[in-house]
Amino acid sequence: MTEPRRCETKDNVGQPYTIRASIDYQTHDFRPTGKLWEFNLDVSTTAAAHNGERTTAEDPNKSLITVFEITAKHIWQGKPEQLKEATEVFEQLKPHCASAAGRTIKGVSATTPSGYEISCWATTPVASGDIITHGQSLKIRPA
């Protein structure tokens, strides 16, 4: 299989915008048992002003934190030390992901002691009429 494994979800409950999130991963040989190449977490928030909705560039970052917390437990399942390292590095990286540097295409990154690079960056906001979408992405891969 040449396509990455992907999980997608959408939520518009409890906030004035719609959240879309996707998680996918790839391995070097494109097989589930292959060595990890990378995990990608993509989050976007979309709001339509004519529906009374609103979103800002900060909103995807909040959702990205939730998606990371859920995903990290599965990535490092059975490896509590690596999960602890990744969680600690992400805690240090979170404010940078939400900063001006983290909301650029270049983004920011940090590496865990066991050698995983965690990077986050934002996509360019997209507007169409009174609908706006903001996005943020995070990549986890061996450094």
Side-chain angles (χ1 to χ4, degrees):
M1 177 172 187
T2 58
E3 293 293 319
R5 307 319 191 262
R6 179 180 291 268
C7 175
E8 296 177 336
T9 188
K10 177 176 135 178
D11 177 25
N12 65 353
V13 178
Q15 67 273 337
Y17 48 82
T18 299
I19 300 168
R20 286 182 176 77
S22 70
I23 303 163
D24 67 53
Y25 72 94
Q26 295 184 25
T27 58
H28 285 285
D29 60 2
F30 299 106
R31 296 176 190 218
T33 57
K35 186 176 178 182
L36 175 67
W37 180 12
E38 66 186 24
F39 273 90
N40 296 293
L41 290 68
D42 297 301
V43 177
S44 67
T45 57
T46 302
H50 68 271
N51 289 337
E53 299 171 340
R54 64 192 182 288
T55 186
T56 66
E58 290 81 23
D59 294 327
N61 187 262
K62 295 177 219 170
S63 299
L64 185 66
I65 292 167
T66 302
V67 173
F68 174 83
E69 290 170 350
I70 294 167
T71 305
K73 294 174 188 175
H74 296 283
I75 294 173
W76 289 285
Q77 186 176 15
K79 299 180 180 181
E81 198 55 42
Q82 289 179 330
L83 174 60
K84 183 176 184 258
E85 287 179 4
T87 302
E88 288 173 355
V89 166
F90 185 66
E91 282 298 316
Q92 296 168 8
L93 192 59
K94 276 194 307 192
H96 300 287
C97 290
S99 73
R103 288 196 303 261
T104 65
I105 291 291
K106 184 176 177 189
V108 294
S109 64
T111 304
T112 68
S114 60
Y116 287 91
E117 181 183 46
I118 301 174
S119 307
C120 59
W121 66 94
T123 56
T124 303
V126 176
S128 177
D130 73 342
I131 299 172
I132 187 156
T133 300
H134 295 279
Q136 186 137 26
S137 298
L138 185 131
K139 183 180 291 190
I140 302 167
R141 65 182 191 167

